[in-house]
Amino acid sequence: MITIKDIAKKAGVSITTVSQVLNQKEIGIKKETKERILRIAEELDYKPNYLARGLITKKTNTLGLIIPDITNPFFPQVVRAIEDTGNHRNYNIILCNTDNNQKKEKLYLEMLQKKYVDGIILTSSTRTTEEHGLLLEKLKLPLVLLDRAAASPFDFPSVYTCGYQGVMLGVNYLLKQGHRKIAYLSGPETSLVGKERLEGYMAALQNVGITVNPQLIYYGDYKAETGEKGITELLEKDRNFTAVMAANDLMAVGAMRSIKNRQLKVPEDISVLGFDNIQISRLIDPALTTIHQPSYEMGKMATDMLIRLIEGKKLEKRQVILKPELLIRESVAERKSQPSP
Amino acid sequence: MITIKDIAKKAGVSITTVSQVLNQKEIGIKKETKERILRIAEELDYKPNYLARGLITKKTNTLGLIIPDITNPFFPQVVRAIEDTGNHRNYNIILCNTDNNQKKEKLYLEMLQKKYVDGIILTSSTRTTEEHGLLLEKLKLPLVLLDRAAASPFDFPSVYTCGYQGVMLGVNYLLKQGHRKIAYLSGPETSLVGKERLEGYMAALQNVGITVNPQLIYYGDYKAETGEKGITELLEKDRNFTAVMAANDLMAVGAMRSIKNRQLKVPEDISVLGFDNIQISRLIDPALTTIHQPSYEMGKMATDMLIRLIEGKKLEKRQVILKPELLIRESVAERKSQPSP
DNA sequence: TTGTATGCGTTATCAC
DNA sequence: GTGATAACGCATACAA
């Protein structure tokens, strides 16, 4: 590989001069020598060694990105936004999948630190416990939490969409369409996100004086399969609900399959409402009415925040909470009569 | 940050000894000092600086991964496989999206080179022209082509699934189900992959003595929207086809939507067959019969190959061509009669 | 069994 | 205007 030394030799100048020219820090360098150096660098096809540079400047122009699983259709959009935004500002990203495994997350965090990334965007596997928070603080690295709120004793910068509001939006819409018995396909009881969305469901019902019926709640794991399974179980317990809201689109899609398999129709017999607005949701039939999460914007904002932190600037807001939106498509109908028994 | 110097000082030894212990190269170091060093490193929470190390060893344990767009549902699986495989072997990956933009691809290649990644996996935007091939050769970096064959004058290692065989498999199946007029939603005429698959379609028909009817071919861009548009146009030209094969699942899904919108039924009126087996395909209704591309395996093999190259080992095969498989689900039916006019 | 010295490629400091 | 030289943190040949 060509180094500045090679250029210096060929140009008959010192490496200092070469370095200055190449970094546009020409406090005072003859136009002539400058052009000669530039020309020679071009000729030799010189490529600066970012490792060496980083060793001194303490900057790698690389961001760490830790998510549960890129295979989860919610993430590609987010990741794409982060990569785009980073790329515009001259940052590359290292992608890490944790599978919601705490140990993997910890290993990745350490690795990224060793590689001297300039900052990290983290969709954490676990709720930020005392221990976990301390671990993150110990990193001494700019950090932005994505799709997760920072747990109380800590206040890491974070950007996420309000799940409580989102589900409430959805349930309110179902109520407005005349539905009274509304089932809910929840995420795991243990997950923060799952809990928050569940609370939105309960609050929306209670707001209009409906008592929450635990028989109408099923706890899944955000995958299509548990959506199917959930509907099956719910229908066995109580066939009287006319609508179901899912904590994410994938479960909603599973629910639709399961409903259809029983010769029931969506939305005529049972209305289905999702959450996330992943790509699939508009491609299935009937197209899924859902709560849109601005995932590209989330990724973009998280990256912008992170870069501000890296540059030592202050953040206007440490917690950015984005608003979900109701996206009406075809999977919810007005309740006109009692469902068939 | 803690360095080996700090540890050396605290342990009362030289940095050489510390370095040796930390790198398990203990040609002969007293158990006692070794344990002391290890303990102190632990206490101080020492994290080796990979930049400094890489500067000497010329290894970063980082791989570059260049794809068109992670948002394309074909890629998350592949990327996941690459990340998994890399991670097992202690490599991280830098993700880059080119949007099939040659200029972006070139910029990423240069950047990765400057960052001294150990190797690159590339799903190139362009067919490997003379110029492009030379550019890749000039990198002097281990490189594996993914989902693309190496164009003739060059023979970069590559792994991909045979599209010709895949489409042929699909069309043969349709023929076996009694279909004779089979439409085809192709990729762009300009793309190598698109061309290869199209040739599979034509060959399959010609094999049984059917003349290819250009009126039954539509050139799209692999997106769901062009699948819809394609079907619309095809139906306007000639309503007599009983089956349609798409060059990818997304277009097939679009086709299904379009067919249903015309009050026709899949598969009773028109059978639909896809290609890729992306996640969506099994979630829609009817579930899409498709040609399965082993995407996880592709990613895994590409990574294994790349790491072999990095380690200076010989490759058993430079071109790995994986076999596609027919995956029968619900979107293809036997042709019993002429379709409704 | 351990330490000294050198170099990796760059930027930064300061002298000329 | 330009050039020595130190420093970044680490690995390693060689010396002790």
Side-chain angles (χ1 to χ4, degrees):
Chain A
M1 269 287 87
I2 306 296
T3 73
I4 49 171
K5 231 183 209 163
D6 300 315
I7 299 179
K9 196 183 289 175
K10 194 150 182 184
V13 296
S14 78
I15 58 166
T16 309
T17 312
V18 175
S19 176
Q20 282 184 339
V21 169
L22 260 29
N23 291 298
Q24 352 250 28
K25 291 194 180 164
E26 311 133 49
I27 338 281
I29 280 164
K30 252 192 287 182
K31 207 172 178 183
E32 193 186 298
T33 55
K34 174 186 157 185
E35 277 164 4
R36 182 158 32 106
I37 288 172
L38 253 24
R39 205 195 57 235
I40 293 179
E42 177 81 11
E43 266 174 35
L44 263 38
D45 193 28
Y46 166 75
K47 298 265 163 47
N49 181 329
Y50 278 42
L51 294 183
R53 172 185 292 179
L55 197 52
I56 302 192
T57 60
K58 265 88 179 77
K59 272 215 81 189
T60 53
N61 280 278
T62 305
L63 268 27
L65 172 55
I66 305 184
I67 59 172
D69 184 8
I70 186 67
T71 269
N72 174 336
F74 170 70
F75 286 108
Q77 279 275 338
V78 180
V79 170
R80 183 63 212 258
I82 294 171
E83 209 270 312
D84 281 357
T85 313
N87 187 38
H88 279 129
R89 310 290 300 277
N90 214 26
Y91 287 89
N92 291 115
I93 65 163
I94 293 183
L95 178 72
C96 313
N97 298 283
T98 63
D99 286 317
N100 282 316
N101 179 335
Q102 266 194 69
K103 213 165 158 187
K104 267 186 101 178
E105 179 181 321
K106 199 176 161 198
L107 285 173
Y108 274 124
L109 284 170
E110 272 181 13
M111 178 58 77
L112 292 173
Q113 202 179 9
K114 292 176 187 171
K115 293 209 172 163
Y116 274 73
V117 296
D118 297 327
I120 293 178
I121 293 179
L122 170 65
T123 298
S124 183
S125 327
T126 64
R127 54 186 307 164
T128 355
T129 57
E130 185 77 17
E131 186 198 345
H132 189 248
L134 289 175
L135 178 75
L136 294 183
E137 274 187 343
K138 227 180 52 184
L139 280 181
K140 301 269 176 225
L141 261 179
L143 174 75
V144 173
L145 261 32
L146 180 74
D147 194 34
R148 300 282 186 275
S152 76
F154 307 96
D155 77 319
F156 301 109
S158 65
V159 29
Y160 65 101
T161 307
C162 185
Y164 179 87
Q165 208 180 112
V167 174
M168 185 168 259
L169 219 55
V171 175
N172 281 344
Y173 174 63
L174 291 173
L175 289 168
K176 221 177 81 190
Q177 298 298 308
H179 298 279
R180 283 296 169 271
K181 296 200 83 170
I182 300 169
Y184 185 69
L185 295 172
S186 171
E189 281 182 278
T190 49
S191 95
L192 252 185
V193 176
K195 231 177 179 169
E196 194 201 2
R197 294 188 186 177
L198 177 58
E199 280 163 12
Y201 164 75
M202 303 202 284
L205 292 184
Q206 283 158 356
N207 278 352
V208 295
I210 297 179
T211 326
V212 174
N213 177 1
Q215 297 280 4
L216 286 177
I217 300 175
Y218 178 85
Y219 295 92
D221 64 356
Y222 295 125
K223 296 194 178 146
E225 286 69 26
T226 65
E228 291 201 52
K229 215 174 141 216
I231 285 294
T232 311
E233 290 202 10
L234 289 174
L235 283 176
E236 275 166 13
K237 287 189 198 155
D238 182 343
R239 293 202 56 151
N240 279 327
F241 58 90
T242 58
V244 55
M245 162 126 203
N248 78 333
D249 283 350
L250 234 33
M251 288 197 292
V253 170
M256 278 178 54
R257 279 189 71 79
S258 184
I259 292 170
K260 288 183 188 174
N261 281 343
R262 283 177 175 62
Q263 319 305 332
L264 295 171
K265 282 201 155 188
V266 177
E268 291 81 354
D269 296 316
I270 300 183
S271 288
V272 177
L273 209 157
F275 194 113
D276 275 351
N277 189 23
I278 58 176
Q279 215 184 16
I280 307 180
S281 62
R282 67 166 167 61
L283 294 177
I284 55 169
D285 180 43
L288 186 67
T289 293
T290 191
I291 303 300
H292 168 76
Q293 237 192 120
S295 35
Y296 193 91
E297 202 186 341
M298 277 174 59
K300 179 166 169 35
M301 297 211 67
T303 314
D304 281 337
M305 284 168 71
L306 184 60
I307 293 177
R308 283 191 74 85
L309 287 173
I310 290 170
E311 290 172 344
K313 294 182 188 159
K314 279 263 179 293
L315 256 33
E316 294 169 23
K317 281 188 190 176
R318 287 180 72 82
Q319 313 290 331
V320 174
I321 305 175
L322 296 176
K323 283 207 172 62
E325 281 170 28
L326 173 65
L327 200 59
I328 298 178
R329 288 200 276 235
E330 309 162 354
S331 65
V332 172
E334 235 177 299
R335 169 173 162 261
K336 285 171 185 153
S337 60
Q338 287 299 331
S340 47
Chain B
M1 269 284 89
I2 306 296
T3 74
I4 49 172
K5 230 183 209 164
D6 299 315
I7 299 179
K9 196 184 290 174
K10 192 149 182 183
V13 294
S14 79
I15 59 165
T16 310
T17 311
V18 175
S19 175
Q20 282 184 342
V21 169
L22 260 29
N23 290 300
Q24 350 250 27
K25 291 195 177 161
E26 309 135 50
I27 338 281
I29 280 166
K30 251 193 286 182
K31 205 173 177 181
E32 194 185 298
T33 54
K34 173 185 156 185
E35 278 164 3
R36 182 157 33 103
I37 289 172
L38 252 24
R39 207 195 55 236
I40 293 177
E42 177 81 10
E43 267 175 34
L44 264 38
D45 193 29
Y46 168 74
K47 298 264 163 49
N49 181 328
Y50 277 42
L51 293 183
R53 174 185 290 181
L55 199 51
I56 302 189
T57 61
K58 265 84 180 78
K59 272 214 81 190
T60 53
N61 281 278
T62 305
L63 267 27
L65 173 54
I66 305 183
I67 59 173
D69 184 8
I70 187 67
T71 270
N72 173 335
F74 171 70
F75 286 108
Q77 279 275 337
V78 180
V79 170
R80 182 63 212 256
I82 293 171
E83 209 271 309
D84 281 356
T85 313
N87 188 37
H88 280 130
R89 310 290 299 278
N90 213 28
Y91 287 89
N92 291 114
I93 65 164
I94 293 182
L95 179 71
C96 313
N97 297 285
T98 63
D99 287 317
N100 282 318
N101 179 334
Q102 266 193 68
K103 210 164 160 189
K104 266 186 102 178
E105 179 181 321
K106 198 176 162 198
L107 285 174
Y108 274 125
L109 284 170
E110 271 181 14
M111 179 58 77
L112 293 173
Q113 202 180 9
K114 291 176 187 169
K115 294 209 172 163
Y116 273 74
V117 297
D118 296 328
I120 293 177
I121 293 178
L122 170 66
T123 298
S124 183
S125 325
T126 63
R127 54 186 308 166
T128 355
T129 56
E130 185 78 15
E131 186 197 345
H132 189 248
L134 289 174
L135 179 75
L136 294 182
E137 273 186 344
K138 226 179 54 184
L139 281 180
K140 301 269 176 224
L141 261 179
L143 173 75
V144 173
L145 261 32
L146 181 73
D147 195 34
R148 301 281 187 276
S152 77
F154 307 96
D155 76 321
F156 301 110
S158 65
V159 29
Y160 65 101
T161 307
C162 184
Y164 180 86
Q165 210 179 110
V167 174
M168 185 169 258
L169 218 55
V171 174
N172 282 343
Y173 173 64
L174 291 172
L175 290 168
K176 222 178 80 190
Q177 298 298 308
H179 298 279
R180 283 296 169 271
K181 294 201 87 169
I182 300 170
Y184 185 70
L185 294 172
S186 171
E189 279 181 279
T190 49
S191 94
L192 251 185
V193 175
K195 230 175 179 172
E196 195 202 1
R197 295 187 186 177
L198 177 59
E199 279 163 12
Y201 163 75
M202 303 201 284
L205 292 184
Q206 283 158 354
N207 278 350
V208 294
I210 297 180
T211 326
V212 174
N213 177 1
Q215 297 280 2
L216 287 177
I217 300 176
Y218 178 85
Y219 296 91
D221 64 358
Y222 295 126
K223 295 193 180 149
E225 286 70 25
T226 63
E228 291 201 54
K229 212 172 143 219
I231 285 294
T232 310
E233 291 204 8
L234 289 174
L235 283 176
E236 276 167 13
K237 288 189 199 156
D238 182 344
R239 293 200 57 147
N240 278 325
F241 58 90
T242 58
V244 56
M245 162 127 203
N248 78 335
D249 283 351
L250 234 33
M251 286 197 293
V253 170
M256 279 177 53
R257 280 191 69 80
S258 184
I259 292 171
K260 288 185 188 172
N261 280 344
R262 285 178 171 61
Q263 318 305 332
L264 295 172
K265 282 202 152 186
V266 177
E268 292 83 352
D269 296 317
I270 300 182
S271 289
V272 177
L273 210 155
F275 195 114
D276 276 350
N277 189 24
I278 59 176
Q279 215 185 15
I280 308 179
S281 62
R282 67 165 168 58
L283 295 176
I284 54 169
D285 180 43
L288 186 67
T289 293
T290 191
I291 302 300
H292 168 77
Q293 234 192 123
S295 36
Y296 193 92
E297 202 185 340
M298 277 174 60
K300 180 166 168 33
M301 298 210 67
T303 314
D304 281 337
M305 284 168 72
L306 183 60
I307 293 178
R308 283 190 73 84
L309 286 173
I310 291 170
E311 289 173 344
K313 295 181 187 160
K314 277 263 178 298
L315 257 31
E316 294 169 23
K317 280 187 190 176
R318 287 181 72 82
Q319 312 290 331
V320 174
I321 305 175
L322 297 176
K323 283 208 172 61
E325 282 170 29
L326 174 65
L327 200 59
I328 299 178
R329 288 198 279 235
E330 308 162 355
S331 65
V332 172
E334 234 176 301
R335 168 172 163 262
K336 285 169 186 156
S337 59
Q338 288 298 332
S340 47

